[in-house]
Amino acid sequence: MTDLWYVLLLLVITLFLIEYLRRRLTVGGYRDKYVLVTGCDSGFGQRLATRLDNLGFKVFAGCLTVDGRHYLSKSCSKNVVPFLLDVRSNESIQSALDLVKQNLPKDIGLVINAGIVGNMAVSELCSKRDYLACFDVNLFGLIEMTRIFLPLLRRSKGRVVNTSSLLARLAIFAPVYTLSKCGVEVYSDFVRREMYSKGVQVSIIEPGAFKTPIFNYDTMTKAVQQAYDSASEEVQSLYSGFVSKYRQMMEGLGKSPNIDLVVDAYIHALTSRFPKARYSPSHDSSLLNIPLSYLPTWYTDWLKQY
């Protein structure tokens, strides 16, 4: 029996070693590769566009604002082409496809990073309009970007890297935002399996809490307060202390300033010969939410009660 345990241990170590070595193999030839990145006005998208530029990639950087486009035009080389992109608009997405086709890329990657947080109150304080506004960017925009670019991605055997969230692993907070990111996870799994035999690889990035402009806590708290103020007296009575608890939680939330942890995951998904299906580039994800998701349901229900 002892010998059997040694054999099993050796097998596990060997498998982990093989997996580690596989992940370190890269595709190379970055100067011949193109990547389209959405949400490049700030945060992860802006940093990723800059890092890819430094590596020699040709980058189409989709920005929602003129200021975002102007910043990248000034700070990056001519290999970065900033352009205006609103993922809520099919016409804007089609224009992005036309722009890419004009450059006849032989190898193209698509990073869908554009997103909003929306109303982060409890579900009873969230309206259908809140869900639609958040889904329009985080999920429906991502779906349309992927769908419209898939023919080009198939021809070049390209890559899709979609941005989800650690919250998609465990539904404990912000139902509007979390549901949109759960949709990203499921949709990405479908596309990865549908494209498995067609050479298109699909990865999901699940960031935790990072210091980026998307998480403007004054704006987020104001939205929660407005949702509370618009509720009925009965609902307000039920959640009388929620806004103050929310504010305290936001102030105490450990937000990592090292956004390169996330950008490194994007780059690995684009450059590795064997990219992962999922990346969880944050300590709160790997050390908290993912382990909690495997615990008995009654415990997480009790732990995360409102």
Side-chain angles (χ1 to χ4, degrees), residues 53-83:
D53 182 30
N54 292 335
L55 288 171
F57 283 86
K58 295 177 176 62
V59 183
F60 299 100
C63 300
L64 182 62
T65 66
V66 173
D67 287 344
R69 183 179 65 178
H70 179 73
Y71 174 84
L72 289 176
S73 296
K74 293 294 185 182
S75 61
C76 295
S77 75
K78 294 186 181 299
N79 283 335
V80 177
V81 180
F83 67 101

Side-chain angles (χ1 to χ4, degrees), residues 166-198:
L166 72 89
L167 293 175
R169 292 292 191 110
L170 186 65
I172 56 175
F173 179 61
V176 170
Y177 180 77
T178 297
L179 273 171
S180 73
K181 294 304 186 179
C182 286
V184 170
E185 297 263 341
V186 174
Y187 178 74
S188 300
D189 284 341
F190 271 117
V191 175
R192 187 180 63 255
R193 288 161 186 152
E194 291 167 355
M195 294 293 109
Y196 185 83
S197 62
K198 299 176 176 59

Side-chain angles (χ1 to χ4, degrees), residues 165-167 169-170 172 206-210 215 217 253-256 261-262 280-292:
S165 167
L166 72 89
L167 293 175
R169 292 292 191 110
L170 186 65
I172 56 175
E206 302 171 330
F210 286 86
F215 288 108
Y217 296 128
L253 189 64
K255 303 174 287 295
S256 172
L261 287 174
V262 179
S280 300
S282 54
H283 299 308
D284 48 357
S285 179
S286 58
L287 299 179
L288 182 61
N289 279 50
I290 293 176
L292 280 177

